[in-house]
């Protein structure tokens, strides 16, 4: 709902948002004279306070750790990837790639040990222990690996030690975001817990579109096909292609750069996002 009022003042075209997400104009001095006339009147458009539409929750990130070395422009490894092996008894420093293992097996490792494994893609990989400390070990990898809980690690030279152990956990992203590009289809639903990225097939094509919930169910009764919709103050925008009782199918038409959809992003049903 919008209120419009005329008054004897001029204002800057910028907008500010209050705690209720209403739009407030930023007032300034009078606009400069144009010829022999002075502009004294303006129109203010204010979004009145009310419930704000926002995106719902997104499924937690999957428990998969991607470990990759640094390569030059020719694809040659210039710096092996480093991963921290630990028993989960101490907090892992933020940003460090880490694999959690049983303490008994971990405590037997020594510098120079080589550990082989098949990663989540069934690719054969190996890591070499480069440093051993009281709380864990550092290992180096020359090839990219995807590690998930349950992957089996095998010592190449046992020397009387237990050969194999399973990964118990890996570090993961703190939250998941949904990456979208122009042309993608997004499903907006009444279920605020339905957020998840698109499902891809083996060729990389979208099998099931990305989904996100909406915090207000009334929107499904008021919008129509062809209406514009934006997310996150212009970060993402699109057009509603199909309206169903419990879902809106949105074609993304505005997704500059690496646009990502997150939880609690504002949903805008006006055309302001496209400005």
């Amino acid at each position: 709902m919008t209120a419009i009022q005329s008054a004897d003042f001029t204002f800057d075209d910028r907008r500010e948002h209050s705690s209720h997400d209403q739009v407030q104009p930023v007032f300034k001095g009078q606009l400069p004279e144009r010829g022999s006339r002075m502009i004294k009147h303006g129109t203010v458009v204010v979004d009145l306070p009310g419930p704000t539409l926002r995106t719902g929750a997104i499924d937690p990130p999957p428990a998969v750790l991607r470990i990759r070395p640094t390569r030059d422009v020719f694809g040659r490894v210039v710096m092996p990837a480093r991963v921290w092996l630990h028993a989960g008894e101490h907090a892992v420093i933020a940003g460090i790639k880490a694999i959690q293992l049983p303490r008994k097996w971990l405590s037997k490792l020594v510098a120079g040990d080589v550990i082989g494994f098949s990663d989540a893609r069934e690719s054969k990989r190996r890591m070499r222990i480069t440093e051993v400390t009281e709380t864990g070990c550092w290992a180096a990898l020359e090839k990219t690996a995807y590690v998930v809980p349950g992957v089996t690690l095998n010592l190449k030279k046992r020397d009387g030690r237990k050969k194999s152990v399973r990964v118990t956990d890996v570090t993961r992203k703190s939250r998941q975001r949904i990456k979208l590009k122009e042309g993608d289809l997004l499903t907006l639903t009444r279920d605020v817990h339905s957020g998840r990225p698109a499902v891809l097939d083996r060729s990389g094509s979208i099998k099931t579109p990305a989904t996100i919930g909406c915090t207000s169910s009334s929107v499904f009764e008021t919008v129509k096909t062809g209406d514009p919709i934006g997310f996150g103050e212009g970060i993402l925008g699109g057009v509603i292609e199909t309206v169903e009782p419990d879902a809106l199918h949105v074609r993304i038409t505005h997704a500059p750069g690496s646009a990502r959809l997150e939880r609690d992003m504002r949903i805008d049903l006006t055309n302001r996002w496209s400005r």
Side-chain angles (χ1 to χ4, degrees), residues 65-247:
L65 177 66
R66 182 178 67 171
I67 311 167
R68 59 176 180 177
T70 302
R71 300 177 182 273
D72 62 18
V73 294
F74 299 103
R76 298 172 300 202
V77 175
V78 295
M79 183 180 297
R82 276 165 55 88
V83 60
W84 175 246
L85 308 183
H86 67 111
E89 299 165 354
H90 304 277
V92 176
I93 298 175
I96 289 180
K97 296 183 182 298
I99 296 174
Q100 185 176 325
L101 302 169
R103 159 57 64 184
K104 186 175 181 180
W105 191 87
L106 182 66
S107 64
K108 302 294 184 180
L109 296 177
V110 297
D113 275 343
V114 175
I115 300 170
F117 62 98
S118 294
D119 73 356
R121 304 165 301 167
E122 297 299 324
S123 296
K124 300 294 184 181
R125 294 292 183 260
R126 52 190 286 171
M127 66 177 79
R128 182 181 297 275
I129 303 300
T130 58
E131 182 182 351
V132 176
T133 73
E134 293 181 358
T135 57
C137 307
W138 284 104
L141 292 87
E142 297 281 344
K143 294 183 177 181
T144 299
Y146 290 78
V147 181
V148 298
V151 163
T152 300
L153 305 186
N154 300 294
L155 274 172
K156 291 298 184 180
K157 293 184 179 180
R158 297 173 59 184
D159 298 327
R161 296 171 291 178
K162 182 180 178 180
K163 178 181 180 181
S164 303
V165 72
R166 289 185 180 273
V167 172
T168 55
D169 203 1
V170 297
T171 52
R172 64 197 79 183
K173 296 178 180 179
S174 58
R175 61 179 178 175
Q176 180 159 224
R177 299 183 295 175
I178 300 175
K179 186 176 181 180
L180 295 166
K181 63 181 184 299
E182 294 176 2
D184 284 350
L185 192 64
L186 171 69
T187 301
L188 189 68
T189 75
R190 292 179 186 262
D191 183 0
V192 295
H193 302 291
S194 63
R196 58 186 61 89
V199 177
L200 307 180
D201 60 21
R202 288 186 175 274
S203 66
S205 299
I206 295 178
K207 185 177 180 181
T208 304
T211 303
I212 192 73
C214 177
T215 57
S216 176
S217 60
S218 63
V219 64
F220 298 90
E221 302 165 3
T222 58
V223 300
K224 60 183 182 299
T225 300
D227 283 351
I229 184 169
F231 301 89
E233 305 297 341
I235 293 175
L236 283 160
V239 176
I240 298 174
E241 284 195 347
T242 309
V243 177
E244 297 179 356
D246 296 315

Side-chain angles (χ1 to χ4, degrees), residues 50-71:
T52 301
L53 306 179
R54 294 195 179 276
T55 54
I58 299 176
D59 289 347
V64 55
L65 177 66
R66 182 178 67 171
I67 311 167
R68 59 176 180 177
T70 302
R71 300 177 182 273

